[in-house]
Each structure stands twice: as C-alpha cells, then as structure tokens.
Amino acid sequence: MPDSGGSRAQRAHIPTTGTGADDRPIPHGDAGALSVDPAAPQVTAPAGLPGPAARTARRTGLLVTMVLGGLTALPPLSMDMYLPALPAVTDSLSAPAATVQLTLTACLAGMALGQLGVGPMSDRWGRRRPLLLGMVVYVLATAICALAPTAELLIGFRLLQGLAGAAGIVIARAVVRDLYDGVEMARFFSTLMLISGVAPVIAPVIGGQVLRITDWRGIFVVLTAVGIVLTLVVWKWLHETLPPADRHTGGVADALRTMRGLLADRVFTGYMVAGGLAFAVLFAYIAASPFVVQEIYGASPQTFSLLFGLNSIGLITVGQINGKLLVGRISLDKVLGFGLAVIVLAAVALLLMTAGVFGEVGLVPVAAGLFVLMSAMGLAMPNTNAQALMRTKHAAGSASALLGTSSFLIGAVASPLVGIAGEDTAVPMAVVQVVCAVAAVACFLLLCRPWQRAGREAGGL
C-alpha cells in the first residue's frame, strides 16, 4: 500500500471519472461542518493557494480534530475519572470491593463489545445517526449511574454506558477513514493519540478534584454534562461523511460477511492483531505499574504519578514526531517495524532487570525502561490503525470495530496475568510485555509481510 496520499477533501478539486467509492471525492460543507452535499463548497483548498478557502480549511480541520478528539477522549474519561472514587463507592453502597471492581470491568467490556455493533451500523446507516444515538444513550446511562442505589444497578448501567460510549471510539476512526488517505490519515491518528494520551493522565486528577467538592455521584454528573455538550457539538458540526452510495444495505448477515471478509484479509488481520498485542503491552503496564513502582520499588504515590505522567508525555511526544516528521518521509511499515523493535528491546531489558540478571536494580533503571517502552507506543499504535484502515475503504466502520474490539479484548486478557505470581515480583509484568511484543512483531512479519508490498510498490504494481 503506498504511503503517499492526502485528505480526500484536498483532492476533491481534481475531476474524476471513476465509478467506485475509492474514486469519489467526499466534498465538505460549510466552515463549521462536514457534509456530503455535492452542492456544498469545498472546505480544503489545494496546497499553496491563499485566501478564504485556505483559512476555511484550517478552521474546519481544527474543528474536526476537536470533535473527533472529544469522542476519542470520552471513553478514558469515563473509565479513569471514576478510579479515585472506588473506595467511596464501596462505602456508600455497602458493597464488597470485588463487586465495585465489576463496575470497571462492565464499562470496559461494554466498550469492547459495543464496537462490534456500532461499526456495521455506521457502514449501513452512515456515521451520524448511530453516533448521535450512541451519545444520547450514553448520556442517559451516565445520568442513571449518578442515581444508582445499588452496586448491581450501577454495574448494569456502567455496562450500558460502555456499550453506548463505544460509538465515539469506532465512528471517530471511521470518519478519519472517510476523510483521509495515506500519510494524512496516519498524521491524523497521531493527533488523536495526543488527545487520547492526555485524557487518561488528567482524568484521575479531575475525578479527585470533583471528589473534593462532592461525592462519587458528582463524577457521573460531570460526565453527563460532558456527554450532553459533546452530543450537541456532534449534532451541530459533525455532518455525514459517508455518502449513501457507499453504504451497505444488508442486515446482520451482511455485516457478519463483511467482518469475515475483513478477517480473511491476511494483511488487515496482521495489522489488527499486531496493534492489539501492542495495546496489551500498554494494558500490562497500566495494570501493574501502580503496584510495581510503589510496592516493589518503594516510590511514593506522588512519585508514581510523576512517572506515569512522564511516560504519557513520552508516548504523546513520539506520537507527534511520528505524525509531524516521520510520516510522509519514511514508509509507515518502516516506522512501525522500528517502533515494535524498540518495544521488544525495552520489554526484554525490563525482564532482565526485574529477574535480577543485573543484580539489585533500583527504581531509576526500571522507570527508564518503562519510559522507552511507552514512548515507542507512539510509533506502533497510530501506524497499525492507519495501515489496517487503508485497506478497508469499503467497510471502514466494521474495520474500525474489529480494530477496537480486538485491542480491548487482547488487553483485557493480558492485564490480569501481570499479578499471577503474587505481590513480591515484577517479573510477570515483564514476561507479559515480552510475549505480547514478540508476538506483535511475528504478526507484523508473517502476516503483513511488508517487504512484499514494498517490492510491488517499487515495481510500480
């Protein structure tokens, strides 16, 4: 797959004679919306042309980034703002801690499974209607969570909250696929990574501040308000990006056939599984790092928060280097391969350190290894998404659903394994990370076979 490309709006001024979806430009609406109205003026002017069209394009590009960024940030906000409130929920609802933990599991499971339903819906009915429906259900479910009198009811509506919130995750990726190709799509995913990387860092801080002025129910009130604002923004400014001619008209059976066809694409499946395994390395870090850094290496909660923030900054910074400097100059497969190689090396180094191969090591070397590993995620995750979606112009919603669900499910399976050997060793975390990282490289090499496609592109095929 060539790495050249650009936004479809940028190419909309070029006359086309093709009849397929790949040849049909998606025009934009006014400066404040995306639209597939053929009569609408173009938003993005060709490169190098000054004037109102270029200014309109910049404004609209920023607006689209903010809207899709908000949709991408909502799920981590829903998960992580709630973390500081877990002890308070346990006391308030007189429920065991294990039961209250299920409120997190339910939300995560909902986000994973909901994408499988929303993705095909968006391919059949367009992006706008399923997204608005999901946002409305999210708002209602979140509001009921704020009023839940029992832990069981809270678990049920956290599941519904996750199922509905999945609409934002999957449709944001599908909209990017509708609007962009090639390097422009990879750059946009790097921008979304900036937002999705910041959200988990600031979410617990916001939750902690909310708890200073109200109880745990106030967190759900804040999330309800955020959901309402985002719903109104989507309704007003994010118009349809999938033309009716490009939509699937079949039912459930057709959606299943589409997903089966996507999974039958060896290269798509390779990128999907490689991305999911890289995400599992991240999940293992998130699940184990509070225990490893604080209990085993004796860091204070403040030190842990600082290290967690630094690792997130590393991921965000490398993601921006990927989008701003590397994409378009170096092939996506080369950048992805380098990122996966660094992840493997960092994971192996962590395993050697935690297993005592170098003797007793302190917090600083382990923290450095985690920083390198997390930073390399900024090269792996956006490029696996971009490469996979570049193969799926005909079913971006279903493809986005498979990408998201596989990442959540693989991560959910891997993260509990980090504590399998008890509380006195960090070796399980490092073992999980090494196994997942090596498996990601194997999928990339054996299924994606980037050298074959590079050879075809060099030969002009």
Side-chain angles (χ1 to χ4, degrees):
M1 184 67 61
D3 288 324
S4 61
S7 73
R8 296 185 182 186
Q10 286 176 322
R11 299 195 304 274
H13 68 286
I14 302 174
T16 61
T17 57
T19 58
D22 296 350
D23 298 319
R24 187 163 40 251
I26 298 179
H28 290 230
D30 58 22
L34 293 174
S35 173
V36 295
D37 179 7
Q42 298 172 16
V43 169
T44 307
L49 292 184
R55 291 193 296 271
T56 298
R58 286 193 293 270
R59 287 197 302 268
T60 302
L62 177 61
L63 178 63
V64 173
T65 301
M66 292 175 63
V67 174
L68 298 185
L71 294 173
T72 302
L74 189 60
L77 287 176
S78 301
M79 289 290 295
D80 296 342
M81 275 184 66
Y82 178 66
L83 294 178
L86 286 177
V89 176
T90 300
D91 295 337
S92 174
L93 299 181
S94 301
T99 301
V100 174
Q101 287 284 348
L102 289 176
T103 62
L104 293 176
T105 304
C107 187
L108 182 62
M111 289 179 185
L113 299 176
Q115 296 183 63
L116 290 177
V118 175
M121 287 171 59
S122 73
D123 283 336
R124 182 177 182 184
W125 292 302
R127 314 302 185 203
R128 180 176 165 83
R129 283 186 289 175
L131 177 57
L132 285 172
L133 176 61
M135 291 303 302
V136 170
V137 175
Y138 173 89
V139 168
L140 294 176
T142 306
I144 295 175
C145 285
L147 304 173
T150 66
E152 291 74 18
L153 190 62
L154 181 59
I155 291 170
F157 279 96
R158 283 284 278 174
L159 175 64
L160 183 60
Q161 183 192 42
L163 289 168
I169 305 174
V170 66
I171 292 180
R173 279 195 301 261
V175 168
V176 174
R177 183 65 192 91
D178 291 340
L179 299 177
Y180 298 97
D181 280 318
V183 298
E184 291 299 328
M185 182 166 57
R187 289 192 178 110
F188 203 100
F189 276 127
S190 293
T191 301
L192 289 185
M193 175 163 283
L194 170 64
I195 299 169
S196 61
V198 169
V201 177
I202 66 172
V205 177
I206 297 173
Q209 295 303 309
V210 172
L211 290 176
R212 296 182 64 179
I213 58 176
T214 184
D215 62 4
W216 63 270
R217 299 180 188 274
I219 291 177
F220 289 108
V221 172
V222 172
L223 288 172
T224 301
V226 171
I228 291 172
V229 170
L230 197 52
T231 302
L232 292 175
V233 168
V234 168
W235 175 75
K236 180 171 178 60
W237 282 299
L238 190 64
H239 291 181
E240 186 55 68
T241 61
L242 184 67
D246 292 343
R247 299 176 191 174
H248 294 189
T249 57
V252 175
D254 182 68
L256 293 176
R257 282 193 298 270
T258 298
M259 288 189 172
R260 186 169 63 247
L262 290 170
L263 294 174
D265 180 348
R266 170 179 50 80
V267 178
F268 171 83
T269 300
Y271 285 120
M272 180 189 74
V273 178
L277 289 166
F279 199 63
V281 176
L282 175 64
F283 258 61
Y285 160 76
I286 292 173
S289 60
F291 166 74
V292 169
V293 172
Q294 296 180 80
E295 299 299 326
I296 296 179
Y297 291 97
S300 66
Q302 292 74 25
T303 300
F304 166 71
S305 299
L306 176 62
L307 292 177
F308 192 91
L310 287 175
N311 290 339
S312 299
I313 290 171
L315 185 152
I316 293 166
T317 301
V318 173
Q320 294 311 293
I321 292 173
N322 174 70
K324 305 298 184 183
L325 299 179
L326 300 180
V327 171
R329 295 177 174 89
I330 304 174
S331 76
L332 296 184
D333 278 329
K334 288 182 180 178
V335 176
L336 173 57
F338 179 76
L340 291 176
V342 173
I343 291 172
V344 170
L345 293 175
V348 170
L350 284 168
L351 178 58
L352 295 176
M353 285 188 286
T354 56
V357 173
F358 304 125
E360 289 291 333
V361 297
L363 176 61
V364 172
V366 173
L370 289 171
F371 178 80
V372 173
L373 183 146
M374 287 295 297
S375 297
M377 292 291 175
L379 300 177
M381 292 195 293
N383 291 328
T384 52
N385 282 336
Q387 289 288 67
L389 287 173
M390 270 193 275
R391 302 182 62 83
T392 59
K393 296 180 181 180
H394 62 290
S398 296
S400 178
L402 289 173
L403 289 171
T405 300
S406 63
S407 294
F408 274 92
L409 291 181
I410 295 173
V413 170
S415 58
L417 300 177
V418 299
I420 199 169
E423 301 179 355
D424 299 325
T425 175
V427 170
M429 176 194 75
V431 169
V432 170
Q433 290 175 330
V434 168
V435 170
C436 290
V438 171
V441 172
C443 287
F444 176 60
L445 295 177
L446 298 178
L447 297 179
C448 301
R449 301 175 188 174
W451 62 88
Q452 292 183 349
R453 295 196 312 286
R456 287 197 297 267
E457 291 164 14
L461 297 179

